Amino acid sequence: MAAGVADQQQVLASEWGGGRSPFAVGWPKFMMWIFLVSDTLTFAGLLAGYGVMRLSLGRWPIQFEIFTIWLVSLMTFILICSSATMAVAVGAARRGDHPRVLRFLLLTVLGGLLFLGMQAYEWTTFIREGARLFGNPWGIPQFSATFFIITGFHGGHVTGGVIYLLITAIRWSRRRIQPESVEIAGLYWHFVDLVWVFIFTLLYLL
Amino acid sequence: MSEGEHSGGDRSYVVTWFWLLVITILEVAIVLVKVPRALLAISLMTLALMKAALIMAYFMHLKYERLSLIYTVVVPMFALAVILFGFVGPDALSVRHLRTR
């Protein structure tokens, strides 16, 4: 009995305050996973709304005649590359390879900035062709509305990710953070890539 | 990190990157050769899910986490997909039939 009470007090005093770390990861990393699951619901809601509108309308502009598929494919390629460089940075952080982490974090930031630049170019072209949030020359207002909202929301996530990675890089170079923090930043960045996989497929290709 | 030695290192990232690239090229190719609409939708969704699985398993290291964490992340996604495709999809189609009638 006494051992049980002592055990409980120990558990309550631990970081988890109520369990024996059932997931075998630190709490910051677990919190990031929980956030990513909930953020998935946000994007799932947006993409489901897009799907419902498109299916219920029955007609939709042919995206290939409006967007440059090569530009979008290149954006996808850049995001995949930046995800790979992020993974290398996380691996280097685990091994304690200090300069390599910084180099690959900055490469990832560069990939994110390239992606954002190309998205800005794409939006500019689209707006110059007459697309607005609530109307466009192709006669289906939902087409440009869903495009701006979904790619805008994703672009916002990329922008946030670039800032997050820059802060991580600065803090890493000053040796203020543990390898786990780089790994958590990596989880967020891979998630942004993961969401783009579905946006690329559903908004541009299908 | 205790799972560090099992994760395969940078080589596994290069292999993952390569396959993501191959699947992306495949996706664009399928669209360009113009297959029937239903086949296009099914193959594109399959390829997208393959990419998602690759990113989660290797880039996000989920493959090397404890099973409880894997289930915590994957089971809600599975339930969500069932609800969206099973209930919301047919609803959208019935709205379309109401409109065209």
Side-chain angles (χ1 to χ4, degrees), chain A residues 29 54-55 64 94 100, chain B residues 10 31 37 61 65 96:
Chain A
K29 189 170 150 185
R54 209 176 142 175
L55 273 175
F64 265 38
R94 278 184 175 159
R100 195 174 161 86
Chain B
D10 289 357
V31 176
R37 197 84 194 135
H61 274 268
E65 300 292 356
R96 176 152 133 202

Side-chain angles (χ1 to χ4, degrees), chain A residues 81-101:
Chain A
C81 289
S82 79
S83 227
T85 54
M86 187 71 229
V88 173
V90 172
R94 278 184 175 159
R95 289 193 306 271
D97 191 341
H98 198 87
R100 195 174 161 86
V101 174

Side-chain angles (χ1 to χ4, degrees), chain A residues 111-133:
Chain A
L113 289 175
L114 267 175
F115 178 88
L116 284 174
M118 289 167 85
Q119 191 165 48
Y121 172 77
E122 192 193 26
W123 273 45
T124 311
T125 317
F126 197 45
I127 292 168
R128 285 222 176 105
E129 284 172 353
R132 297 292 181 270
L133 187 56

Side-chain angles (χ1 to χ4, degrees), chain A residues 50 54 59-69 72 122 126 129 138 143 146-147 199-206, chain B residues 31 37 40 44:
Chain A
Y50 158 80
R54 209 176 142 175
R59 60 203 170 85
W60 202 254
I62 300 165
Q63 301 102 305
F64 265 38
E65 293 169 359
I66 297 160
F67 303 118
T68 318
I69 189 66
V72 185
E122 192 193 26
F126 197 45
E129 284 172 353
W138 299 280
F143 169 61
T146 51
F147 175 82
I199 293 176
F200 177 59
T201 305
L202 295 171
L203 256 70
Y204 294 97
L205 295 181
L206 202 64
Chain B
V31 176
R37 197 84 194 135
L40 179 75
L44 280 182

Side-chain angles (χ1 to χ4, degrees), chain A residues 71-81 115 193 196-197 200, chain B residues 24 27 51:
Chain A
L71 180 75
V72 185
S73 302
L74 191 60
M75 284 163 73
T76 308
F77 174 69
I78 286 170
L79 216 52
I80 290 172
C81 289
F115 178 88
D193 184 25
W196 182 255
V197 166
F200 177 59
Chain B
T24 306
E27 280 183 319
K51 279 167 86 174

